[in-house]
């Protein structure tokens, strides 16, 4: 019956010096364990013998453990059942979300008391069936304060504030619990000033009422008012102190929180956790570590928080150390570690951790599935992505709009536009993120016409366009060479759709003009921008200069980029590429000297491919570390002969080194994407596309070579590089050599 008294802000267990009760604050990220809290409970008569009491305890215990069939077996085997026995079994069914069985038992009860009726109302409320609860409330023979309070709580739970207030006004008698339940509901609705007026009207306030009001102020960031109430409290407990400390910590006032923490008369596990998370959220990781080391008890939840904290601040190895040294872990421990790896770019480690989690028999929870789905999108590993999609369907998470958006993104980034569109078509209603994902997906695949069709479909559906929409559709125009359409859309952004163009939109236009060879128009656009051009804009111009070998503008763009991002190796490499294509080796040497002087490291080119749910990595010029190295070399040698037969000649302009022609041809032959394609030809079954990913932009020679490989082998190759997708088939590429 405790849950009858649970309001929407706090779950309030009220038992005299009762056992450890979980108290949940709506906006706190932890569970407060309170051992000494004073509670109020309506006295109930006991109709049970000692034997019946023992059986009732067994029923209750099995229900708490989710073993409802065992609970029913104990109930059925009782020689005699009291009203309390029936009430306990009915409560167990509700606790395990089986309301129909609970109602059936209620209907066949030989005798009922008011507790039975209250049990039914409370159970329906717990199962979010407030209309059923109201039907019971209206027909019950008599009501007490518990009945009314449970019904008020049910209305608040469903956001029916007016109905709750009306019921509260009709209550013949109210107690402190009734007032506190309504108070919590109004706080949850964000009506903090109304809540304060109600609080001031309360004829009697206990420590829970005061704490609830303080928590409401903290949620709204009104810490001064929260502190005033805290200082006025006639009596405080550990929850009151923890609420105030957490309020300060969550609003970046961690030093004030620490002072309060130090003078706190008694601390529990959650008090320590609140203070610890305050340091973590502020990025003060050293102080967090000191506090963590000083904690008398390190719970699983606290360790999970430290894993997240270390991860957020870039200390991935330390997060893993905490994980490895935990005596026990829960599913949130695993999902936290997976999330750290995923967010910090350790995709393979995240994948391995997820695989280990499954081997350990730990059930995948929602955060871990979403993290791995993001990893699948990042690495473009379709087989794993399909597996996670199946898990989401099995867990009934796939109906969520957020999940559907991530699924669309995953399929798009894995090169499976057909499946992405199937997910899109099956979901209704569609939000702006889903539309943007499809537009961006078609853009990345060079399907500008299809992207524009989705753009117009979005307009027809009445979806408000945002800045991401225009980045997607302008990119589509750029990748597809649709200069006229791109110019019209860009010009209409502010006038027709009230979206102010940002630097990313100007970058798309510079890229659009640059790819089309309109370099002077691109430069004029930059010079007339109402905002300062950033590295993305100048990078788009530099890329266009490389495509059209315009040395003068390339050097202008490169100087700007080196000034804006002096540690970004890509800008130096691109300029070096341009010099190398013109055989200006002295200038290439100068660029390299600058990189060395400024300690700029070149990003190593690498490609990867997924075969039988295993990711195989290849670095440029080196496949010896791969166990199938001899087979890969034989395949490359075989391909080399076939390519020469169809007229392939290595394009030495894509080699950055001042080498002779034979050495240049050899270097080109071992680019990472060629190694991955060769491995795919060996391992991917005939009839299935070979899907390869590369972390950098594919070079022109590899692009030509893979087109011909697709032709001579009759295979389809899908390559995703740093910029876009390339679908190679029958000697052609989906980009029409425009990338």
């Amino acid at each position: 019956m405790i849950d009858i008294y649970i309001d929407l802000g706090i779950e309030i267990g009220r038992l005299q010096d009762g056992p450890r009760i979980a108290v949940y604050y709506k906006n706190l990220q932890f569970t407060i364990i309170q051992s000494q809290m004073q509670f109020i409970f309506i006295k109930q008569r006991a109709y049970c013998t000692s034997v019946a009491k023992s059986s009732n305890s067994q029923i209750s215990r099995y229900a708490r453990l989710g073993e409802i069939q065992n609970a029913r077996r104990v109930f059925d085997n009782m020689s005699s059942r009291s009203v309390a026995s029936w009430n306990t079994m009915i409560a167990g069914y509700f606790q395990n979300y089986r309301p129909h069985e609970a109602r059936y038992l209620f209907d066949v009860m030989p005798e009922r008391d008011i507790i039975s009726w209250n049990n039914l109302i409370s159970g329906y409320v717990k199962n979010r069936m407030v209309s059923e609860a109201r039907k019971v409330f209206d027909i019950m023979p008599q009501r007490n304060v518990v009945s009314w309070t449970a019904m008020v709580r049910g209305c608040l739970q469903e956001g029916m504030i007016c109905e709750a207030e009306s019921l509260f006004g009709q209550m013949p008698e109210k107690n402190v619990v009734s007032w506190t339940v309504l108070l919590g509901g109004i706080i949850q609705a964000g009506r903090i000033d109304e809540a304060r007026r109600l609080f001031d009207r309360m004829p009697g306030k206990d420590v829970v009422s005061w704490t609830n009001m303080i928590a409401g102020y903290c949620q709204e960031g009104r810490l001064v008012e929260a502190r005033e109430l805290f200082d006025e409290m006639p009596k405080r407990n550990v929850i009151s102190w923890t609420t105030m400390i957490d309020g300060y910590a969550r609003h970046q006032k961690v030093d004030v929180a620490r002072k309060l923490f130090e003078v706190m008369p008694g601390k529990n596990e959650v008090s320590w956790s609140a203070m610890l998370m305050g340091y973590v959220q502020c990025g003060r990781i050293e102080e967090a570590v000191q506090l963590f080391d000083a904690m008398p008890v390190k719970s699983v939840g606290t360790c999970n928080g430290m894993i997240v904290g270390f991860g957020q601040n870039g200390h991935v190895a330390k997060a893993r150390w905490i994980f490895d040294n935990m005596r026990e872990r829960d599913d949130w421990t695993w999902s936290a570690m997976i999330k750290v790896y995923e967010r910090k770019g350790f995709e393979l480690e995240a994948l391995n951790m997820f695989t280990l989690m499954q081997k350990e028999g730990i059930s995948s929870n929602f955060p871990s599935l979403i993290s791995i789905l993001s990893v699948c999108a990042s690495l473009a590993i379709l087989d794993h992505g399909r597996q996670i999609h199946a898990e989401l369907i099995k867990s009934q998470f796939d109906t969520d709009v957020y999940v559907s958006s991530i699924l669309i993104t995953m399929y798009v980034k894995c090169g499976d536009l057909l499946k992405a569109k199937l997910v899109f078509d099956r979901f209704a209603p569609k939000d702006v993120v889903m539309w943007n994902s499809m537009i961006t997906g078609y853009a990345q695949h060079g399907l500008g016409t299809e992207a524009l069709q989705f753009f117009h479909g979005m307009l027809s559906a009445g979806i408000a366009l945002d800045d991401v929409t225009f980045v997607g559709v302008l990119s589509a125009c750029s990748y597809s060479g649709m200069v006229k359409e791109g110019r019209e859309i860009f010009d209409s952004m502010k006038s027709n759709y009230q979206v102010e163009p940002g630097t990313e939109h100007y970058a798309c236009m510079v890229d659009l003009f640059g790819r089309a060879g309109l370099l002077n128009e691109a430069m004029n656009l930059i010079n007339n921008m109402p905002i300062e051009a950033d590295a993305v804009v100048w990078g788009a111009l530099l890329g266009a200069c490389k495509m059209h070998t315009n040395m003068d503008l390339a050097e202008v763009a490169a100087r700007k980029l080196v000034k804006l991002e002096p540690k970004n190796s890509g800008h130096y490499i691109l300029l070096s590429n341009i010099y190398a294509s013109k055989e200006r080796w002295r200038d290439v040497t100068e660029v390299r000297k600058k990189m060395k002087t400024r300690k700029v490291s070149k990003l190593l080119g690498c490609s990867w491919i997924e075969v039988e749910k295993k990711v195989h990595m290849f670095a440029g010029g080196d496949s010896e570390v791969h166990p199938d190295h001899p087979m890969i070399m034989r395949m490359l040698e075989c391909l080399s002969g076939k390519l020469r037969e169809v007229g392939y000649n290595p394009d030495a302009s894509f080699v950055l080194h001042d080498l002779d022609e034979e050495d240049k041809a050899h270097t080109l032959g071992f680019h990472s994407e060629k190694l991955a394609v060769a491995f795919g030809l060996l391992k991917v079954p005939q009839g299935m596309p070979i899907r390869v990913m590369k972390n950098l932009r594919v070079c022109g020679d590899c692009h030509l070579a893979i087109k011909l490989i697709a032709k001579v082998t009759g295979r389809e190759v899908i390559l995703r590089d740093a910029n876009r997708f390339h679908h190679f088939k029958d000697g052609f590429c989906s980009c029409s050599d425009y990338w």
Side-chain angles (χ1 to χ4, degrees):
M1 298 300 297
I2 294 171
D3 59 348
I4 291 171
Y5 292 105
I6 301 174
D7 71 11
L8 294 185
I10 307 174
E11 286 198 9
I12 310 166
R14 292 175 164 4
L15 291 174
Q16 293 291 338
D17 295 321
R20 292 159 65 88
I21 303 296
V23 180
Y24 299 96
Y25 285 85
K26 166 82 177 163
N27 289 317
L28 302 183
Q29 295 177 344
F30 54 79
T31 302
I32 297 178
I33 307 299
Q34 167 63 357
S35 301
Q36 303 289 324
M37 186 173 177
Q38 296 298 311
F39 298 107
I40 302 169
F41 189 69
I42 306 300
K43 293 183 178 179
Q44 301 177 12
R45 293 177 58 196
Y47 294 94
C48 311
T49 64
S50 59
V51 174
K53 285 182 179 179
S54 175
S55 297
N56 293 347
S57 297
Q58 282 186 294
I59 293 170
S60 181
R61 182 172 63 85
Y62 279 131
R64 285 198 306 272
L65 295 172
E67 300 176 15
I68 195 64
Q69 291 178 336
N70 287 334
R72 182 57 188 263
R73 178 177 50 79
V74 173
F75 178 80
D76 289 341
N77 289 332
M78 292 178 69
S79 56
S80 64
R81 306 180 190 98
S82 65
V83 175
S85 307
W86 288 85
N87 290 342
T88 304
M89 191 64 236
I90 290 169
Y93 274 128
F94 276 126
Q95 190 174 358
N96 285 270
Y97 303 102
R98 295 171 69 167
H100 300 299
E101 289 95 328
R103 182 57 191 259
Y104 173 78
L105 269 190
F106 177 84
D107 288 340
V108 299
M109 280 181 75
E111 181 187 356
R112 303 185 190 105
D113 60 12
I114 193 168
I115 297 172
S116 310
W117 289 91
N118 289 343
N119 206 11
L120 192 61
I121 294 173
S122 179
Y124 277 136
V125 167
K126 180 181 179 66
N127 283 264
R128 309 301 293 258
M129 300 168 68
V130 70
S131 60
E132 294 299 317
R134 184 58 193 258
K135 290 175 185 176
V136 175
F137 179 80
D138 289 340
I139 65 170
M140 62 190 298
Q142 66 179 96
R143 308 182 189 107
N144 62 11
V145 68
V146 178
S147 322
W148 286 90
T149 303
M151 202 60 241
V152 169
R153 174 179 174 254
C155 292
L156 291 170
Q157 185 174 278
E158 298 303 316
M160 300 158 59
I161 306 296
C162 293
E163 290 86 341
E165 290 177 323
S166 175
L167 274 172
F168 184 79
Q170 297 172 47
M171 287 179 70
E173 60 173 318
K174 306 176 182 74
N175 61 16
V176 68
V177 178
S178 316
W179 286 90
T180 303
V181 165
L182 185 62
L183 181 71
I186 294 174
I187 288 171
Q188 188 191 26
R191 292 154 54 174
I192 193 69
D193 293 320
E194 284 184 52
R196 179 57 192 266
R197 287 193 290 271
L198 181 69
F199 177 79
D200 291 338
R201 283 171 45 210
M202 289 176 67
K205 307 178 186 75
D206 63 5
V207 66
V208 178
S209 312
W210 285 87
T211 303
N212 213 5
M213 195 65 233
I214 291 168
Y217 276 133
C218 288
Q219 290 166 19
E220 297 294 319
R222 293 163 65 168
L223 299 179
V224 173
E225 290 156 292
R227 184 56 186 267
E228 287 174 355
L229 269 186
F230 179 80
D231 291 339
E232 291 174 15
M233 283 184 75
K235 183 180 179 181
R236 308 184 191 103
N237 63 13
V238 67
I239 303 176
S240 315
W241 284 87
T242 302
T243 301
M244 195 66 243
I245 289 167
D246 184 75
Y248 280 129
R250 287 179 185 278
H251 291 87
Q252 310 295 307
K253 295 185 179 294
V254 70
D255 292 321
V256 181
R258 184 58 185 265
K259 289 178 182 178
L260 203 60
F261 179 79
E262 292 298 336
V263 299
M264 187 175 176
K267 305 175 182 70
N268 66 8
E269 175 189 314
V270 184
S271 313
W272 286 86
S273 296
M275 192 64 244
L276 183 69
M277 290 302 102
Y279 281 128
V280 167
Q281 289 163 6
C282 290
R284 292 164 62 168
I285 202 68
E286 290 183 8
E287 289 159 293
V289 171
Q290 291 172 3
L291 192 69
F292 181 74
D293 291 339
M295 287 183 71
V297 177
K298 298 175 179 65
S299 67
V300 173
T302 305
C303 293
N304 293 350
M306 282 305 295
I307 290 172
V308 173
F310 275 132
Q312 287 175 346
N313 290 276
H315 302 291
V316 177
K318 291 179 180 178
R320 183 58 189 262
W321 185 89
I322 294 284
F323 178 89
D324 289 338
N325 286 276
M326 290 175 67
R327 293 182 179 179
E328 58 178 297
R329 309 181 185 104
D330 59 14
D331 57 336
W332 294 100
T333 312
W334 290 87
S335 62
M337 195 64 237
I338 290 168
K339 175 62 72 177
V340 167
Y341 279 138
E342 179 248 318
R343 287 288 174 89
K344 295 302 173 182
F346 293 84
E347 287 91 355
L348 290 177
E349 288 82 354
L351 207 58
N352 292 335
M353 179 65 70
F354 183 74
T355 302
L356 182 61
M357 177 183 175
Q358 291 180 312
K359 288 180 180 177
E360 293 281 336
I362 308 297
S363 298
S364 308
N365 58 18
F366 183 77
S368 63
L369 290 172
I370 293 301
S371 292
I372 293 301
L373 200 60
S374 297
V375 167
C376 293
S378 179
L379 294 178
I381 46 178
L382 186 58
D383 288 344
H384 271 89
R386 287 172 177 154
Q387 177 189 341
I388 301 304
H389 189 178
E391 290 263 3
L392 289 165
I393 292 173
K394 183 180 176 182
S395 303
Q396 297 183 335
F397 291 137
D398 63 314
T399 56
D400 182 82
V401 64
Y402 172 68
V403 173
S404 295
S405 297
I406 296 178
L407 281 169
I408 290 170
T409 300
M410 185 274 293
Y411 281 117
V412 163
K413 289 190 173 183
C414 289
D416 194 340
L417 279 176
L418 179 61
K419 194 60 182 287
K421 190 173 185 304
L422 282 174
V423 175
F424 178 85
D425 289 341
R426 289 175 181 173
F427 199 91
K430 302 169 179 65
D431 68 355
V432 65
V433 178
M434 296 177 73
W435 284 96
N436 287 346
S437 297
M438 291 305 299
I439 291 170
T440 303
Y442 279 107
Q444 290 175 341
H445 286 263
L447 302 171
T449 302
E450 290 82 352
L452 281 176
Q453 287 173 354
F454 267 88
F455 176 73
H456 294 302
M458 190 175 178
L459 290 172
S460 299
I463 305 295
L465 311 183
D466 61 14
D467 56 334
V468 179
T469 310
F470 286 101
V471 171
V473 74
L474 290 174
S475 297
C477 294
S478 175
Y479 291 149
S480 303
M482 302 162 70
V483 177
K484 177 176 176 291
E485 293 85 347
R487 197 195 306 269
E488 290 174 354
I489 290 170
F490 180 79
D491 291 341
S492 71
M493 280 179 65
K494 188 174 181 180
S495 58
N496 293 357
Y497 307 108
Q498 291 74 53
V499 177
E500 189 75 36
T503 54
E504 63 273 22
H505 304 106
Y506 281 98
C508 290
M509 291 304 295
V510 169
D511 192 57
L512 172 65
F513 292 143
R515 287 173 186 271
L518 305 172
L519 293 177
N520 289 332
E521 192 165 348
M523 191 67 205
N524 289 336
L525 181 65
I526 294 174
N527 290 333
N528 291 296
M529 282 176 61
I531 50 180
E532 189 73 24
D534 62 8
V536 180
V537 175
W538 288 109
L541 181 64
L542 183 59
C545 291
K546 177 184 182 298
M547 182 183 295
H548 299 288
T549 60
N550 186 315
M551 297 302 304
D552 294 334
L553 281 182
E555 289 176 335
V556 171
R559 282 196 295 270
K560 290 284 188 180
L561 285 165
V562 169
K563 183 178 179 181
L564 288 167
E565 295 181 342
K567 294 294 183 180
N568 188 330
S569 63
H571 309 321
Y572 298 90
I573 299 301
L574 202 52
L575 182 61
S576 181
N577 269 353
I578 297 171
Y579 287 143
S581 66
K582 293 292 187 181
E583 297 188 354
R584 291 172 54 175
W585 302 114
R586 184 176 297 175
D587 291 321
V588 171
T589 303
E590 283 299 313
V591 172
R592 289 179 185 164
K593 281 182 180 179
K594 287 180 181 178
M595 290 180 69
K596 188 174 182 180
T597 302
R598 296 170 183 174
K599 298 181 180 179
V600 178
S601 300
K602 177 187 174 184
L603 183 63
L604 179 66
C606 65
S607 299
W608 60 94
I609 182 173
E610 182 192 23
V611 176
E612 296 179 351
K613 295 185 180 178
K614 184 178 179 182
V615 179
H616 299 261
M617 302 286 296
F618 297 92
D622 182 20
S623 69
E624 292 186 13
V625 295
H626 196 280
D628 291 317
H629 169 71
M631 294 172 61
I632 294 170
M633 291 300 100
R634 286 195 294 272
M635 175 57 75
L636 286 174
E637 186 177 346
C638 176
L639 288 173
S640 178
K642 290 182 178 180
L643 294 183
R644 282 196 298 269
E645 289 176 6
V646 294
Y648 168 70
N649 186 35
D651 189 344
S653 66
F654 291 99
V655 180
L656 303 186
H657 309 290
D658 187 6
L659 305 172
D660 59 39
E661 293 302 312
E662 184 178 346
D663 287 339
K664 287 181 179 180
H666 179 78
T667 299
L668 286 168
F670 294 98
H671 278 190
S672 64
E673 53 266 57
K674 287 177 181 170
L675 296 172
V677 169
F679 182 73
L681 289 168
L682 290 166
K683 298 294 184 179
V684 177
Q686 191 76 28
M688 290 181 62
I690 297 167
R691 301 176 187 275
V692 175
M693 283 60 64
K694 184 174 183 180
N695 66 331
L696 304 176
R697 184 175 180 270
V698 62
C699 79
D701 178 75
C702 286
H703 190 271
L704 172 62
I706 296 173
K707 278 200 304 182
L708 295 175
I709 288 171
K711 180 179 181 179
V712 300
T713 62
R715 299 295 297 271
E716 180 183 1
V717 180
I718 300 174
L719 171 67
R720 191 186 94 185
D721 68 7
N723 285 351
R724 62 174 295 161
F725 277 90
H726 302 266
H727 292 249
F728 299 96
K729 191 174 183 180
D730 300 328
F732 297 95
C733 179
S734 60
C735 73
S736 301
D737 299 333
Y738 191 89
W739 88 103

